[in-house]
Amino acid sequence: MIHTDAVIVGAGPVGLFAVFELGLLGLRAHVIDVLDKPGGQCAEFYPEKPIYDIPGLPACTGQELTDNLMRQIRPFEPVFHFGTSAQRLEELPGSRWRLTTDDGLVFEAPAIVVAAGGGSFTPKKPPIPGIERYEGHGVDYAVRKIEALRGQRVVISGGGDSALDWTIALRDVAARVTLIHRRSDFRAAPDSVRRMMALAEQGEIDFVLGEVSTLQADGAELCGIGVRTEAGMVDLPCDRLLPFFGLTMKMGPVGDFGLALRGGRIVVDTEKFESNRRGVFAIGDINHYPGKLKLILSGFHEAALMAQQAFRYARPEERLLFQYTTTSTRLKEKLETT
Ligand SMILES: Cc1cc2nc3c(=O)[nH]c(=O)nc-3n(C[C@H](O)[C@H](O)[C@H](O)COP(=O)(O)OP(=O)(O)OC[C@H]3O[C@@H](n4cnc5c(N)ncnc54)[C@H](O)[C@@H]3O)c2cc1C
C-alpha cells in the first residue's frame, strides 16, 4: 500500500505539469502510466515534430517538451510507475481514495488526478488483409525514430496532417517517399497540401491516387505493396508502410471510475477541474467543460487550479499561501536544483 498526497493517472504533458503545480504547494505525487515512458501523445505520436504554441517556447519537439517537463519536475521527486494501468477507484471513509492498478499496486490518497488524455489510444488500421502480421516488420503507425527510415523506400498512406507532414519531412531522409491517398482532396492543412503537390511536380516525391490493398513479404519483412488505382492494380516496392488513418480514443478503465461523463470525457467544473466525485480531478484532454480546447496549454492551466483544491483536501489544517516562484525563497531554493 502506497500512501501519498496525490495519484496522477497519466504521464502525458499535463500529468507531468500537475506534478509541478502540486509540488509548488508542497504536495507529493505518484504518477502511473500504461506506456513505458513519459510524454503521452507528445512522445508517442510526434516526438520529432515541432510544437509552436507552448507559451515562451517558440518551437520544441514533442520529445523536447517531455524532456523539459521531466527536468522541471525533478525537484519535486515524483515517483513513476510505468507499464501499469489504473484499473479501479474506490472511495474510503475520511475523504480518501484507493486506486488499484492492473498489476496489483495499491495507492491511497486524498486527491486523484485523472490526466489520462485520449485514454488507451490506438491507431486506426486500414482494411488490408493480414496487416497485423507486418506490424513492426515494415508497417508502423507512428514515426518513433526518423533515422530508422534513412535510405528506406517509404510509403505513406492517408490524407490528414500526419500523412502530409511526414511525407514532406521524410523526403530528405528516405530513399524515396510515396504518398497514397484515395481522393484528390485532403483533410490536411492547405499549406501542407500545396507543398506536397509542389514536391510531387518537382519529382522529389511520388503521389499516387489509390488505396493500398495488399502487402508483399520477403521472409518476415515487408518488401512491396499492391495499390488499387482507377487504372487497375499497381505494385510498388516498399520497405516501410506508414498508414496514418487517425487514432481511436478509447477511454479504458477510467470510464468505469463512476465519474460523470459526456462524449466519453470526464465532466469537470472550471474552478477546480474536479469531477462529480469530491477529490477526483480530471485535467488535460480527458476532461469536458464548456469551451474546452484540447491543447497542452489548456491542460497546464487546469493543473494549476486543480492543485489549489487538492491542497485543501491534503492539508485541511494548513492555510493555502499564493506565492510566485520568482519571489518565494523556499521555492527558489528548491527549483534552483533543476
Ligand atoms: C499529431 C498531434 C499533434 C499535436 N500537436 C499539438 C500542438 O501543436 N499543440 C498542442 O497544444 N497540442 C497538440 N496536440 C494535442 C496534445 O498532444 C494533447 O492535447 C496533449 O498530449 C494532452 O495531454 P494529456 O497529458 O492530457 O494526455 P496524453 O498526452 O494523451 O497523455 C495521457 C497519458 O495517460 C495514459 N493513460 C491513459 N489511461 C491510463 C490508465 N488507465 N492508466 C495509466 N495510464 C493511462 C496514456 O498512456 C498517456 O500516456 C497534438 C496531438 C497530436 C496527436
Side-chain angles (χ1 to χ4, degrees), residues 157-321:
S157 159
D161 282 317
S162 296
L164 274 282
D165 290 354
W166 282 118
T167 299
I168 294 163
L170 291 175
R171 75 181 193 284
D172 294 331
V173 177
R176 191 76 190 164
V177 179
T178 304
L179 175 69
I180 299 180
H181 185 44
R182 59 179 193 274
R183 292 189 305 270
S184 52
D185 58 320
F186 292 84
R187 278 174 289 111
D191 184 54
S192 306
V193 178
R194 273 192 295 275
R195 286 174 66 198
M196 183 281 291
M197 287 298 192
L199 290 171
E201 272 165 31
Q202 291 153 16
E204 290 202 36
I205 62 153
D206 295 311
F207 171 54
V208 177
L209 257 179
E211 215 168 336
V212 181
S213 60
T214 59
L215 304 175
Q216 295 132 24
D218 179 6
E221 299 298 318
L222 182 74
C223 68
I225 57 171
V227 184
R228 195 182 300 117
T229 70
E230 275 198 348
M233 284 299 291
V234 178
D235 284 336
L236 291 178
C238 171
D239 306 308
R240 294 294 190 100
L241 174 64
L242 305 172
F244 290 115
F245 282 55
L247 308 169
T248 48
M249 304 275 196
K250 271 196 246 140
M251 203 179 199
V254 298
D256 303 322
F257 281 4
L259 309 175
L261 304 177
R262 177 145 178 207
R265 291 189 275 146
I266 299 169
V267 177
V268 291
D269 62 65
T270 50
E271 182 193 348
K272 312 177 292 301
F273 297 93
E274 194 169 24
S275 71
N276 60 319
R277 317 282 306 267
R278 186 181 186 274
V280 182
F281 302 86
I283 56 174
D285 279 13
I286 195 74
N287 72 13
H288 171 83
Y289 55 85
K292 167 74 182 180
L293 282 180
K294 284 193 189 180
L295 285 175
I296 296 164
L297 67 87
S298 315
F300 288 173
H301 160 79
E302 295 159 16
L305 294 197
M306 169 282 295
Q308 302 280 309
Q309 188 66 14
F311 177 89
R312 294 186 180 98
Y313 296 146
R315 305 274 190 274
E317 275 89 49
E318 290 179 31
R319 201 160 63 88
L320 178 60
L321 273 182

